[in-house]
Amino acid sequence: MAAAITGGSITVDGIEPDSMRSVIGKLIETGADIQTNKNSIKLNMKGRRPQAVNIRTSAYPNFPTDMQAQFMALNSIAEGSSTITETIFENRFMHVQEMNRMGANINVRQNCAYIDGVESLVGAPVMATDLRASVSLVLAGLVATNKTIINRIYHLDRGYEEIEKKLSNCGAQIKRIR
């Protein structure tokens, strides 16, 4: 997702692409060039802005609720408008208010988020409310102008060990402030 939102490219080894078909399919809809083999995925956005995609969460093998917030970050800067329908968990849109503080244009009605993509986000101090919201704010921060400071990152650490080191190794300007 980080490569997709930033217009970059990446190869991830040691992964089973077949278990991620719904996510890969949505990434292809955004305009990503994706190649897979038995144990890896290669994604290349070729410097392009992603195209907005509609998402509807559902049980496996359909689109996972655990990727909804990350796609919301991507859709927030995508070309066009999109809808994300959350069918698994209530209150899974806690990150919307924080993304809107960064300049996103997201409106929520019941279990649907309506997103009009903007050309860029603006860095802001934001607060993480849960694991998935945390990583969506990191992704939004990667493409925001100016500095983004994410508070309450202990949520992030539950699922993304040393994410700042991993993203820095890919060229991101990110650091943990203690």
Side-chain angles (χ1 to χ4, degrees):
M1 288 303 296
I5 199 169
T6 60
S9 65
I10 193 167
T11 300
V12 180
D13 295 317
I15 194 167
E16 294 181 29
D18 285 344
S19 68
M20 300 179 59
R21 285 184 193 201
S22 62
V23 173
I24 291 169
K26 288 297 179 181
L27 285 168
I28 290 169
E29 282 184 47
T30 70
D33 177 27
I34 296 185
Q35 298 172 6
T36 63
N37 66 36
K38 185 178 179 183
N39 295 311
S40 71
I41 299 173
K42 182 176 182 176
L43 177 143
N44 190 345
M45 284 300 288
K46 300 179 182 177
R48 295 183 304 235
R49 184 176 172 198
Q51 298 296 307
V53 295
N54 294 325
I55 302 287
R56 181 179 185 83
T57 65
S58 187
Y60 184 82
N62 297 309
F63 193 86
T65 187
D66 289 345
M67 288 298 295
Q68 175 263 107
Q70 296 91 316
F71 263 89
M72 187 173 297
L74 183 124
N75 276 339
S76 73
I77 57 98
E79 203 169 320
S81 298
S82 59
T83 302
I84 296 180
T85 305
E86 175 58 58
T87 68
I88 308 291
F89 291 110
E90 291 182 26
N91 298 323
R92 200 29 101 76
F93 291 139
M94 301 282 287
H95 48 285
V96 169
Q97 181 177 353
E98 300 304 299
M99 284 193 191
N100 282 344
R101 292 183 71 212
M102 298 176 72
N105 185 0
I106 307 167
N107 294 292
V108 174
R109 288 190 295 277
Q110 296 177 333
N111 68 327
C112 293
Y114 302 92
I115 306 147
D116 290 320
V118 297
E119 287 196 34
S120 65
L121 298 174
V122 178
V126 293
M127 182 176 60
T129 55
D130 62 52
L131 173 61
R132 284 131 198 107
S134 301
V135 76
S136 72
L137 295 173
V138 169
L139 293 172
L142 291 176
V143 294
T145 60
N146 301 325
K147 188 184 298 186
T148 298
I149 298 174
I150 303 171
N151 295 296
R152 295 177 55 179
I153 61 168
Y154 57 86
H155 293 293
L156 186 67
D157 292 335
R158 290 191 354 242
Y160 295 92
E161 184 178 355
E162 297 183 333
I163 190 172
E164 71 279 5
K165 290 179 184 177
K166 294 170 185 171
L167 290 173
S168 290
N169 288 339
C170 294
Q173 293 181 359
I174 183 173
K175 67 180 178 179
R176 181 178 295 252
I177 301 171
R178 303 216 183 254

Short mmCIF file of all heavy atoms in Angstrom, two decimals, residues 5-33:
data_model
loop_
_atom_site.label_atom_id
_atom_site.label_comp_id
_atom_site.label_asym_id
_atom_site.label_seq_id
_atom_site.Cartn_x
_atom_site.Cartn_y
_atom_site.Cartn_z
N ILE A 5 0.38 4.18 -2.77
CA ILE A 5 -0.06 5.54 -2.45
C ILE A 5 0.99 6.58 -2.84
O ILE A 5 0.65 7.71 -3.16
CB ILE A 5 -0.46 5.66 -0.96
CG1 ILE A 5 -1.34 6.88 -0.74
CG2 ILE A 5 0.75 5.67 -0.05
CD1 ILE A 5 -1.99 6.94 0.64
N THR A 6 2.27 6.18 -2.85
CA THR A 6 3.34 7.12 -3.18
C THR A 6 3.74 7.11 -4.64
O THR A 6 4.63 7.85 -5.04
CB THR A 6 4.59 6.85 -2.31
OG1 THR A 6 5.05 5.52 -2.58
CG2 THR A 6 4.31 7.04 -0.83
N GLY A 7 3.11 6.26 -5.43
CA GLY A 7 3.45 6.17 -6.86
C GLY A 7 4.71 5.38 -7.11
O GLY A 7 5.31 5.48 -8.17
N GLY A 8 5.12 4.58 -6.15
CA GLY A 8 6.39 3.85 -6.24
C GLY A 8 6.26 2.44 -6.74
O GLY A 8 5.25 2.04 -7.33
N SER A 9 7.32 1.69 -6.49
CA SER A 9 7.33 0.28 -6.86
C SER A 9 8.02 -0.51 -5.76
O SER A 9 8.86 0.02 -5.04
CB SER A 9 8.04 0.07 -8.20
OG SER A 9 9.40 0.41 -8.10
N ILE A 10 7.64 -1.77 -5.65
CA ILE A 10 8.20 -2.63 -4.61
C ILE A 10 7.99 -4.08 -5.01
O ILE A 10 7.04 -4.41 -5.71
CB ILE A 10 7.55 -2.34 -3.24
CG1 ILE A 10 8.34 -2.99 -2.11
CG2 ILE A 10 6.08 -2.77 -3.23
CD1 ILE A 10 7.95 -2.49 -0.73
N THR A 11 8.88 -4.93 -4.54
CA THR A 11 8.70 -6.37 -4.63
C THR A 11 8.70 -6.92 -3.21
O THR A 11 9.59 -6.61 -2.43
CB THR A 11 9.83 -7.04 -5.44
OG1 THR A 11 9.83 -6.50 -6.77
CG2 THR A 11 9.65 -8.55 -5.51
N VAL A 12 7.68 -7.70 -2.89
CA VAL A 12 7.57 -8.31 -1.57
C VAL A 12 7.69 -9.82 -1.76
O VAL A 12 6.89 -10.43 -2.47
CB VAL A 12 6.22 -7.95 -0.89
CG1 VAL A 12 6.14 -8.60 0.48
CG2 VAL A 12 6.07 -6.44 -0.79
N ASP A 13 8.71 -10.38 -1.12
CA ASP A 13 8.94 -11.83 -1.19
C ASP A 13 8.40 -12.50 0.06
O ASP A 13 8.18 -11.85 1.09
CB ASP A 13 10.44 -12.11 -1.31
CG ASP A 13 11.03 -11.59 -2.61
OD1 ASP A 13 10.38 -11.77 -3.66
OD2 ASP A 13 12.13 -11.00 -2.57
N GLY A 14 8.21 -13.82 -0.02
CA GLY A 14 7.77 -14.59 1.13
C GLY A 14 6.30 -14.37 1.44
O GLY A 14 5.91 -14.31 2.60
N ILE A 15 5.51 -14.27 0.41
CA ILE A 15 4.08 -13.98 0.56
C ILE A 15 3.30 -14.89 -0.37
O ILE A 15 3.81 -15.32 -1.39
CB ILE A 15 3.83 -12.48 0.26
CG1 ILE A 15 2.46 -12.04 0.71
CG2 ILE A 15 4.06 -12.17 -1.19
CD1 ILE A 15 2.30 -10.53 0.73
N GLU A 16 2.07 -15.19 -0.02
CA GLU A 16 1.22 -16.03 -0.86
C GLU A 16 0.20 -15.15 -1.59
O GLU A 16 -0.85 -14.81 -1.02
CB GLU A 16 0.50 -17.07 -0.02
CG GLU A 16 1.41 -18.09 0.61
CD GLU A 16 0.64 -19.12 1.42
OE1 GLU A 16 -0.53 -19.41 1.11
OE2 GLU A 16 1.23 -19.62 2.39
N PRO A 17 0.45 -14.77 -2.82
CA PRO A 17 -0.47 -13.90 -3.55
C PRO A 17 -1.88 -14.44 -3.68
O PRO A 17 -2.84 -13.67 -3.68
CB PRO A 17 0.18 -13.76 -4.94
CG PRO A 17 1.62 -14.08 -4.71
CD PRO A 17 1.64 -15.08 -3.61
N ASP A 18 -2.04 -15.75 -3.74
CA ASP A 18 -3.38 -16.32 -3.87
C ASP A 18 -4.28 -15.97 -2.70
O ASP A 18 -5.49 -15.85 -2.85
CB ASP A 18 -3.32 -17.84 -4.03
CG ASP A 18 -2.86 -18.26 -5.42
OD1 ASP A 18 -2.87 -17.41 -6.33
OD2 ASP A 18 -2.48 -19.44 -5.58
N SER A 19 -3.70 -15.77 -1.51
CA SER A 19 -4.51 -15.43 -0.35
C SER A 19 -4.93 -13.97 -0.34
O SER A 19 -5.72 -13.56 0.49
CB SER A 19 -3.73 -15.75 0.94
OG SER A 19 -2.62 -14.88 1.07
N MET A 20 -4.41 -13.20 -1.29
CA MET A 20 -4.68 -11.76 -1.34
C MET A 20 -5.34 -11.34 -2.66
O MET A 20 -5.23 -10.20 -3.07
CB MET A 20 -3.37 -10.99 -1.18
CG MET A 20 -2.67 -11.28 0.13
SD MET A 20 -1.12 -10.38 0.27
CE MET A 20 -1.70 -8.71 0.12
N ARG A 21 -6.02 -12.24 -3.29
CA ARG A 21 -6.60 -11.94 -4.61
C ARG A 21 -7.50 -10.71 -4.62
O ARG A 21 -7.44 -9.89 -5.53
CB ARG A 21 -7.38 -13.14 -5.13
CG ARG A 21 -6.48 -14.23 -5.61
CD ARG A 21 -7.28 -15.36 -6.20
NE ARG A 21 -6.36 -16.49 -6.35
CZ ARG A 21 -6.58 -17.49 -7.16
NH1 ARG A 21 -7.68 -17.53 -7.87
NH2 ARG A 21 -5.71 -18.46 -7.24
N SER A 22 -8.35 -10.56 -3.62
CA SER A 22 -9.27 -9.42 -3.62
C SER A 22 -8.51 -8.10 -3.46
O SER A 22 -8.85 -7.11 -4.12
CB SER A 22 -10.33 -9.57 -2.52
OG SER A 22 -9.73 -9.59 -1.25
N VAL A 23 -7.49 -8.07 -2.64
CA VAL A 23 -6.69 -6.86 -2.45
C VAL A 23 -5.90 -6.56 -3.72
O VAL A 23 -5.86 -5.42 -4.19
CB VAL A 23 -5.75 -6.99 -1.23
CG1 VAL A 23 -4.81 -5.81 -1.13
CG2 VAL A 23 -6.57 -7.14 0.05
N ILE A 24 -5.28 -7.57 -4.29
CA ILE A 24 -4.52 -7.40 -5.53
C ILE A 24 -5.43 -6.89 -6.64
O ILE A 24 -5.07 -5.98 -7.40
CB ILE A 24 -3.81 -8.71 -5.93
CG1 ILE A 24 -2.69 -9.00 -4.92
CG2 ILE A 24 -3.27 -8.63 -7.35
CD1 ILE A 24 -2.09 -10.40 -5.06
N GLY A 25 -6.63 -7.45 -6.73
CA GLY A 25 -7.57 -7.00 -7.76
C GLY A 25 -7.91 -5.52 -7.62
O GLY A 25 -7.98 -4.79 -8.61
N LYS A 26 -8.11 -5.06 -6.38
CA LYS A 26 -8.41 -3.64 -6.15
C LYS A 26 -7.19 -2.77 -6.45
O LYS A 26 -7.33 -1.67 -6.98
CB LYS A 26 -8.90 -3.41 -4.72
CG LYS A 26 -10.30 -3.95 -4.48
CD LYS A 26 -11.32 -3.23 -5.35
CE LYS A 26 -12.72 -3.75 -5.16
NZ LYS A 26 -13.70 -3.08 -6.03
N LEU A 27 -6.00 -3.25 -6.14
CA LEU A 27 -4.80 -2.48 -6.47
C LEU A 27 -4.64 -2.34 -7.98
O LEU A 27 -4.25 -1.29 -8.48
CB LEU A 27 -3.56 -3.13 -5.85
CG LEU A 27 -3.40 -2.91 -4.35
CD1 LEU A 27 -2.33 -3.83 -3.78
CD2 LEU A 27 -3.09 -1.45 -4.05
N ILE A 28 -4.96 -3.39 -8.72
CA ILE A 28 -4.92 -3.31 -10.19
C ILE A 28 -5.92 -2.27 -10.68
O ILE A 28 -5.62 -1.48 -11.58
CB ILE A 28 -5.17 -4.71 -10.81
CG1 ILE A 28 -3.97 -5.61 -10.54
CG2 ILE A 28 -5.46 -4.59 -12.31
CD1 ILE A 28 -4.18 -7.07 -10.87
N GLU A 29 -7.12 -2.22 -10.06
CA GLU A 29 -8.11 -1.20 -10.44
C GLU A 29 -7.59 0.22 -10.20
O GLU A 29 -7.99 1.14 -10.90
CB GLU A 29 -9.40 -1.38 -9.63
CG GLU A 29 -10.29 -2.50 -10.11
CD GLU A 29 -11.59 -2.55 -9.32
OE1 GLU A 29 -12.22 -1.48 -9.13
OE2 GLU A 29 -11.97 -3.65 -8.88
N THR A 30 -6.70 0.40 -9.22
CA THR A 30 -6.16 1.74 -8.97
C THR A 30 -5.18 2.17 -10.05
O THR A 30 -4.80 3.33 -10.11
CB THR A 30 -5.41 1.83 -7.61
OG1 THR A 30 -4.20 1.09 -7.68
CG2 THR A 30 -6.28 1.38 -6.46
N GLY A 31 -4.76 1.22 -10.87
CA GLY A 31 -3.79 1.52 -11.92
C GLY A 31 -2.43 0.88 -11.69
O GLY A 31 -1.50 1.08 -12.47
N ALA A 32 -2.30 0.13 -10.62
CA ALA A 32 -1.02 -0.52 -10.33
C ALA A 32 -0.75 -1.64 -11.32
O ALA A 32 -1.65 -2.41 -11.67
CB ALA A 32 -1.02 -1.08 -8.91
N ASP A 33 0.48 -1.72 -11.76
CA ASP A 33 0.95 -2.86 -12.55
C ASP A 33 1.43 -3.89 -11.53
O ASP A 33 2.34 -3.60 -10.74
CB ASP A 33 2.09 -2.43 -13.47
CG ASP A 33 2.67 -3.57 -14.27
OD1 ASP A 33 1.94 -4.56 -14.52
OD2 ASP A 33 3.86 -3.50 -14.63
#
